[in-house]
Amino acid sequence: MKIWQIKNRPKSLILTDEQLIIAIKDKLLRGDDILINVDLRNEIAIKDSVYSFYLPEVEHEQDED
């Protein structure tokens, strides 16, 4: 199970994959939020990750302009 943190958010905010997906679907996180994981060497924006699938369609369309 992966454990995620969101850059520039309280360090106490630690999310599992499932919790991360729920937070994205509930629009608590946006595409520009940066994911941090001990298994990753680099930080990655949600919009550039596999989790971008769960972003609202409106946000996908704005990125394409």
Side-chain angles (χ1 to χ4, degrees), residues 8-37:
N8 299 325
R9 299 280 180 108
K11 293 204 184 274
S12 60
L13 179 64
I14 296 174
L15 305 170
T16 64
D17 284 329
E18 184 176 296
Q19 292 168 327
L20 178 63
I21 292 167
I22 290 169
I24 294 169
K25 286 181 174 180
D26 288 347
K27 300 179 184 177
L28 299 174
L29 297 173
R30 299 182 45 104
D32 291 334
D33 284 313
I34 305 296
L35 296 174
I36 302 170
N37 180 286

Side-chain angles (χ1 to χ4, degrees):
M1 171 173 49
K2 291 184 180 165
I3 301 296
W4 299 99
Q5 284 186 295
I6 309 302
K7 187 174 183 176
N8 299 325
R9 299 280 180 108
K11 293 204 184 274
S12 60
L13 179 64
I14 296 174
L15 305 170
T16 64
D17 284 329
E18 184 176 296
Q19 292 168 327
L20 178 63
I21 292 167
I22 290 169
I24 294 169
K25 286 181 174 180
D26 288 347
K27 300 179 184 177
L28 299 174
L29 297 173
R30 299 182 45 104
D32 291 334
D33 284 313
I34 305 296
L35 296 174
I36 302 170
N37 180 286
V38 295
D39 295 331
L40 294 177
R41 291 184 182 190
N42 299 316
E43 301 169 347
I44 188 167
I46 292 174
K47 66 182 178 184
D48 298 327
S49 73
V50 296
Y51 298 101
S52 66
F53 174 81
Y54 300 102
L55 290 169
E57 287 298 319
V58 173
E59 194 164 339
H60 286 295
E61 292 168 6
Q62 289 175 350
D63 289 344
E64 293 173 3
D65 293 337

